[in-house]
Amino acid sequence: MKTASKIYTGLVMLFLFAPIAILLVFSFNDSKSLSVFSEFSLHWYRELFRDSETLGAVRNTLVLAVCAALLSTAMGTAAAVGIHKLKSRYMRAVMDTVTNIPMINPDIITGISLMLMFVFVGRLFGAATSLNFATMLIAHITFCLPYVILQVLPKLQQMDKALPEAAMDLGCTPMRAFLKVEVPEIMPGIVTGLIMAFTLSLDDFVISYFTSGNGFQTLPIRIYNMTKKTVTPKMYALATIIFFVILFLLLLSNLTDADTVQAVRTAREKKKAKNKA
Amino acid sequence: MKKIVELKNVSKSFDGELVLDHINLDIYDNEFLTLLGPSGCGKTTTLRIIGGFETADEGEVIFMGEEIGDVPPHKRNVNTVFQRYALFPHLNVFENVAFPLREKKVPKAEIEQRVGEMIKLVALTGFEKRSVTSLSGGQQQRVAIARALVGRPKVLLLDEPLAALDLKLRKDMQQELKNIQKATGITFIFVTHDQEEALSMSDTVVVMSEGRIQQIGTPIDIYNEPKNAFVADFIGESNILDGVMLRDRKVSFSGHLFDCVDEGFAPREPVDVVVRPEDVDIVAPEKGMLQGTVTSVTFLGVHYEIIVDIDGFKWMIQTTDFVDVDEHIGLYIEPDAIHIMKKSEYSGMFGDYSSYSMELDEIGELEQIEELGELTEEPVEEAKEAESEA
């Protein structure tokens, strides 16, 4: 039984990480070959950083992801607070459903419908081309929002509802009570939501593809356009870099998770108590 | 004495259900007042209306002569100790206590000094830098009290603050709260469902039921002179019988004519008669005013609690003399052990111990469930650990 479970785990690991390992190895390959590793070199990384169009797309992607993450986090947190305050159970169910729709909706449908709306509204105001950075930003906020809400809402629900009351009791206005007491409590949710929104925006291809225009190109779209011709190992180098950036963000997000923070905190205190004794 | 809080005709409903029904209550300066009643009686709502967390549908809330019905909580000179403490987990002990002073922009040196004093008052010196999540229940309770008192409120509201503590700690904290109240001279309004707690701590007890005040009085008054069957039953144990007041100081119940000390009832007025279990003496059958058969005996350490069947009505008697089940005994009751009450809507609902053995004390039940929870949790944890080790 034990060996079987070990083999199974090994297989899962293999299928999860082997592709990434191969990508990583071949990004350092000197030649173009996909079968022979001729020599270790940073050639393709150099090539990559010489490609100004790709670098421009990277910059666009980052600007878009940062804007979308910040705005959707602010809006999502506000929405979560609003939903949390709803008294009627019916209204809450409605809001939950509305929140979930963009998540369960296939990306392609969200993408097409957003594009249609942007073009329609643009025509209405007589614009020739209506797809640009702004439309993409709106689209990204749209699909990031539910994830932020889903991260923040449980933190609000876990919070002792007497906490904001206690803050008001001790002299805070409702707004100050929110900032001084509720925000620190739900911060882990806000941070996780922010990181999730950032990675989602970074990662998105389908919705971006439909809502981009006017020469504004993100990295996934750039890669897609490049693969229409031939895939150069330059792309492996790019993918490797992206993988490690995402890995770093994932670790960060897990570390800010409340449970982990709590576990670390108690462990530290136990240690302190032990030292005292 | 100066009135500090007045509730005039205060009513409140939630979702069409009346929770407070025209409450009138005066609370005096420097008083330890307890709102006592079973869950759902409206005591916590009363407290929250004084704190400003709920608004009364009807009636006036007057604080030091001024109507404050529309004043938000942060502008009221009243602080609250919440049931589950509501300490701010992201702040340490010192910062929790300093919170209201920082909000009021009190100078730093004064904050240091006042917080220090408060922490000393609740005996937490040395814990200033500790995280509040690392404290025990009793210590968290003390932080909550210090935080509520540091702003020098006129009135401190306490919402079942001892409910989450174990019995021994609860007793200690009762004494300590009483001492803090005396030392600070602040009016305490304390909410509890525990009658013993109410009797031992309060200057004034307000007994509530179904959104109405049943009786206001000192603990001794409430115990010795309950106004109706609800109060008599809720505070301590009582045998409550149907009786008829023949004339002043003569009452008839259980087929016997008794001397008593109550006056002022109409001739032949039907009344409720209260006899406390500890006030009944057991004598030989032929010497007793009433005769009955013992149906159950429970040993409780200090005394025995026995149930006696007298013509179908089950009396509870507390005695230090041992009697056996099925023994035929006589009861003797002194005139001043009999308390007469006017008939009320609660007449006939309480005071018979026929179903006593099946009755479970509300608090006892909760504690039992909690204990059971702890017992079942641990093996599960152990099982998990064992599993992960394997």
Side-chain angles (χ1 to χ4, degrees):
Chain A
M1 212 35 227
K2 265 191 179 168
T3 41
S5 88
K6 269 182 189 158
I7 290 169
Y8 177 72
T9 315
L11 277 175
V12 170
M13 289 295 170
L14 183 73
F15 281 106
L16 272 177
F17 295 112
I20 294 162
I22 291 168
L23 181 86
L24 191 133
V25 168
F26 278 94
S27 76
F28 291 108
N29 193 354
D30 191 43
S31 78
K32 242 183 171 182
S33 166
L34 262 179
S35 45
V36 196
F37 190 85
S38 48
E39 201 185 337
F40 178 87
S41 98
L42 293 172
H43 172 73
W44 297 113
Y45 285 86
R46 252 177 264 125
E47 279 287 292
L48 173 69
F49 285 104
R50 240 177 259 138
D51 182 345
S52 63
E53 205 177 333
T54 305
L55 289 183
V58 171
R59 202 196 60 231
N60 283 346
T61 308
L62 287 176
V63 169
L64 181 70
V66 168
C67 292
L70 289 176
L71 286 169
S72 60
T73 303
M75 289 165 72
T77 305
V81 170
I83 293 171
H84 181 63
K85 288 236 166 82
L86 285 177
K87 285 214 174 83
S88 133
R89 202 175 280 182
Y90 170 76
M91 272 307 289
R92 203 180 276 222
V94 169
M95 287 314 298
D96 277 348
T97 315
V98 170
T99 307
N100 282 333
I101 288 174
M103 274 197 306
I104 50 167
N105 214 10
D107 277 0
I108 192 131
I109 294 175
T110 310
I112 292 176
S113 57
L114 279 166
M115 177 193 73
L116 269 175
M117 186 191 73
F118 292 139
V119 172
F120 171 73
V121 175
R123 293 272 157 79
L124 218 59
F125 290 97
T129 54
S130 44
L131 296 175
N132 52 30
F133 173 71
T135 55
M136 261 186 110
L137 181 60
I138 294 172
H140 278 229
I141 292 173
T142 307
F143 69 75
C144 288
L145 210 51
Y147 292 91
V148 177
I149 295 176
L150 239 72
Q151 289 302 318
V152 178
L153 200 53
K155 297 285 172 223
L156 282 165
Q157 282 155 351
Q158 281 162 23
M159 186 182 67
D160 182 357
K161 72 177 183 348
L163 281 184
E165 283 187 353
M168 285 189 264
D169 188 66
L170 297 167
C172 287
T173 60
M175 191 61 202
R176 253 192 96 65
F178 174 70
L179 292 176
K180 292 267 300 185
V181 174
E182 286 184 76
V183 169
E185 276 301 288
I186 59 173
M187 203 35 126
I190 296 177
V191 171
T192 322
L194 183 82
I195 292 170
M196 271 186 91
F198 181 76
T199 51
L200 281 168
S201 166
L202 214 60
D203 179 57
D204 177 71
F205 170 70
V206 180
I207 296 173
S208 302
Y209 187 74
F210 284 102
T211 53
S212 70
N214 224 3
F216 190 86
Q217 196 179 34
T218 63
L219 192 60
I221 295 171
R222 166 81 186 144
I223 295 174
Y224 175 73
N225 286 339
M226 282 167 85
T227 52
K228 274 183 193 160
K229 297 164 208 161
T230 48
V231 188
T232 65
K234 199 157 69 174
M235 285 299 103
Y236 310 155
L238 182 60
T240 305
I241 293 172
I242 293 173
F243 170 74
F244 280 104
V245 169
I246 300 286
L247 185 69
F248 173 73
L249 286 175
L250 185 74
L251 287 175
L252 203 67
S253 137
N254 284 349
L255 284 177
T256 52
D257 187 66
D259 298 336
T260 325
V261 170
Q262 192 56 46
V264 170
R265 201 185 283 167
T266 40
R268 216 180 275 158
E269 252 148 32
K270 263 187 198 158
K271 214 175 167 190
K272 241 189 239 166
K274 221 183 240 174
N275 286 349
K276 262 184 199 164
Chain B
M1 271 204 294
K2 210 171 78 193
K3 280 182 198 173
I4 190 151
V5 179
E6 294 164 71
L7 300 180
K8 288 189 175 165
N9 256 323
V10 170
S11 292
K12 174 83 189 170
S13 3
F14 291 116
D15 301 324
E17 205 172 308
L18 196 61
V19 197
L20 286 184
D21 186 1
H22 298 91
I23 295 278
N24 283 293
L25 179 62
D26 293 341
I27 299 160
Y28 294 92
D29 203 8
N30 207 352
E31 170 176 53
F32 197 123
L33 178 133
T34 300
L35 300 172
L36 173 67
S39 54
C41 72
K43 54 191 194 300
T44 297
T45 308
T46 310
L47 199 76
R48 289 175 63 82
I49 285 175
I50 299 172
F53 304 115
E54 306 285 355
T55 324
D57 299 338
E58 252 181 83
E60 284 177 89
V61 184
I62 294 162
F63 183 75
M64 297 178 80
E66 274 174 58
E67 152 72 28
I68 55 159
D70 297 323
V71 177
H74 65 276
K75 289 189 180 149
R76 295 188 183 198
N77 200 357
V78 167
N79 285 140
T80 309
V81 175
F82 291 86
Q83 193 167 13
R84 296 262 164 196
Y85 323 130
L87 298 179
F88 305 135
H90 62 290
L91 301 176
N92 65 21
V93 171
F94 183 92
E95 285 306 320
N96 260 282
V97 180
F99 187 90
L101 301 181
R102 294 217 192 280
E103 281 308 299
K104 278 185 200 152
K105 306 261 183 291
V106 172
K108 247 189 174 172
E110 196 188 329
I111 291 182
E112 291 275 339
Q113 185 231 332
R114 278 170 71 178
V115 172
E117 271 171 28
M118 271 305 144
I119 287 180
K120 206 174 147 204
L121 179 75
V122 296
L124 277 179
T125 313
F127 286 86
E128 288 89 343
K129 294 275 173 287
R130 288 276 290 271
S131 148
V132 289
T133 49
S134 72
L135 300 182
S136 71
Q139 290 166 337
Q140 292 190 17
Q141 178 70 80
R142 288 157 200 270
V143 178
I145 292 165
R147 188 181 66 175
L149 285 174
V150 77
R152 295 175 185 153
K154 281 279 166 206
V155 176
L156 187 71
L157 308 176
L158 303 107
D159 184 9
E160 305 228 16
L162 309 181
L165 303 180
D166 63 56
L167 186 67
K168 189 154 176 357
L169 204 52
R170 198 153 64 207
K171 297 264 183 217
D172 293 346
M173 281 306 290
Q174 284 174 12
Q175 198 50 49
E176 215 163 315
L177 272 178
K178 188 72 199 155
N179 293 342
I180 290 172
Q181 194 262 333
K182 275 190 191 143
T184 55
I186 293 170
T187 304
F188 276 35
I189 306 178
F190 188 92
V191 159
T192 184
H193 63 263
D194 182 342
Q195 41 114 356
E196 214 180 297
E197 204 166 275
L199 295 180
S200 65
M201 299 168 80
S202 325
D203 299 320
T204 308
V205 178
V206 179
V207 185
M208 295 181 72
S209 165
E210 296 171 335
R212 285 190 298 273
I213 292 177
Q214 302 297 331
Q215 189 169 0
I216 304 175
T218 64
I220 293 175
D221 282 349
I222 299 266
Y223 188 82
N224 287 342
E225 312 277 328
K227 260 195 186 146
N228 61 35
F230 176 81
V231 179
D233 179 76
F234 195 72
I235 313 290
E237 303 289 352
S238 302
N239 301 294
I240 305 172
L241 301 106
D242 281 327
V244 175
M245 203 67 188
L246 294 181
R247 56 175 189 276
D248 280 355
R249 279 165 287 164
K250 285 281 178 201
V251 64
S252 144
F253 58 89
S254 295
H256 186 91
L257 186 63
F258 290 86
D259 288 322
C260 65
V261 294
D262 297 76
E263 300 176 348
F265 292 88
R268 303 208 64 81
E269 183 177 337
V271 289
D272 285 337
V273 178
V274 181
V275 181
R276 295 287 186 186
E278 69 272 20
D279 291 339
V280 182
D281 294 327
I282 295 176
V283 291
E286 62 280 6
K287 285 184 189 161
M289 297 160 155
L290 300 170
Q291 288 80 31
T293 313
V294 178
T295 60
S296 93
V297 178
T298 314
F299 177 62
L300 289 177
V302 192
H303 52 67
Y304 295 98
E305 206 162 74
I306 67 169
I307 305 291
V308 183
D309 187 333
I310 297 171
D311 298 332
F313 188 93
K314 306 265 176 151
W315 285 63
M316 178 196 270
I317 295 164
Q318 290 165 355
T319 175
T320 48
D321 306 324
F322 179 75
V323 288
D324 230 332
V325 176
D326 291 334
E327 205 173 310
H328 197 63
I329 57 168
L331 306 186
Y332 180 82
I333 305 163
E334 293 279 353
D336 64 357
I338 295 168
H339 172 64
I340 311 291
M341 305 182 301
K342 287 219 180 271
K343 284 276 176 195
S344 69
E345 59 183 308
Y346 296 105
S347 297
M349 288 164 69
F350 305 104
D352 177 10
Y353 287 87
S354 304
S355 57
Y356 183 65
S357 57
M358 313 233 255
E359 226 172 51
L360 271 173
D361 191 2
E362 190 187 355
I363 310 155
E365 203 172 356
L366 271 177
E367 274 169 2
Q368 270 178 338
I369 291 169
E370 268 163 22
E371 272 168 25
L372 279 176
E374 275 163 32
L375 284 176
T376 47
E377 245 166 61
E378 263 175 87
V380 171
E381 290 284 308
E382 275 169 20
K384 265 188 208 157
E385 268 168 40
E387 210 171 56
S388 63
E389 270 168 22

